Amino acid sequence: QVQLVESGGGLVQAGGSLRLSCAASGRTFGSYAMGWFRQAPGKGREFVAAISRSGSSTSYVDSVKGRFTISRDNAKNTVYLQTNSLKPEDTAVYYCAATVRASSYTTPRTGPGYDYWGQGTQVTVSS
């Protein structure tokens, strides 16, 4: 069992930045591929970014490429999402997720590919 706790959300003006963090419990963090998803009001959950177990592979949805960066620190059991050049359409609740089912270099892009989810952190971008 893995518990995930997100932090770092908030209110920011368009063009601003936030760094989201997701702290995981347990001693096997390096065994999990990690992902970030988001859900805007009235919309479904959307894949944002994912990172493989070792951090050597990453994947992004096209709308955030070049603006967002996913990274992980296995020594700190933490995955990060650096969000730059934020736009109002990035407003959503951001969730981190973990899976032990992914192979070493896999970056799952769909919700069913993940086993554990955090409670979410709100990101609001004003225009």
Side-chain angles (χ1 to χ4, degrees):
Q1 189 79 10
V2 174
Q3 291 185 327
L4 304 172
V5 179
E6 302 96 334
S7 61
L11 174 63
V12 64
Q13 290 187 331
S17 299
L18 287 172
R19 188 174 82 154
L20 308 184
S21 299
C22 173
S25 64
R27 294 177 288 180
T28 58
F29 182 69
S31 299
Y32 293 88
M34 302 296 296
W36 285 96
F37 290 74
R38 65 187 179 186
Q39 187 165 17
K43 295 187 177 181
R45 184 175 57 195
E46 176 189 33
F47 168 77
V48 176
I51 189 165
S52 61
R53 296 177 188 175
S54 66
S56 60
S57 299
T58 59
S59 179
Y60 299 90
V61 67
D62 286 348
S63 60
V64 308
K65 284 181 179 177
R67 299 189 299 122
F68 291 11
T69 302
I70 188 171
S71 61
R72 66 189 297 161
D73 185 337
N74 286 352
K76 295 183 178 179
N77 282 16
T78 301
V79 62
Y80 304 98
L81 186 69
Q82 178 67 43
T83 66
N84 298 329
S85 302
L86 283 162
K87 304 175 181 180
E89 51 264 44
D90 293 318
T91 295
V93 178
Y94 283 70
Y95 300 90
C96 73
T99 179
V100 71
R101 294 179 281 132
S103 59
S104 298
Y105 301 102
T106 301
T107 54
R109 297 172 62 94
T110 61
Y114 290 86
D115 307 302
Y116 305 102
W117 295 82
Q119 83 291 346
T121 186
Q122 176 70 47
V123 172
T124 302
V125 184
S126 63
S127 56

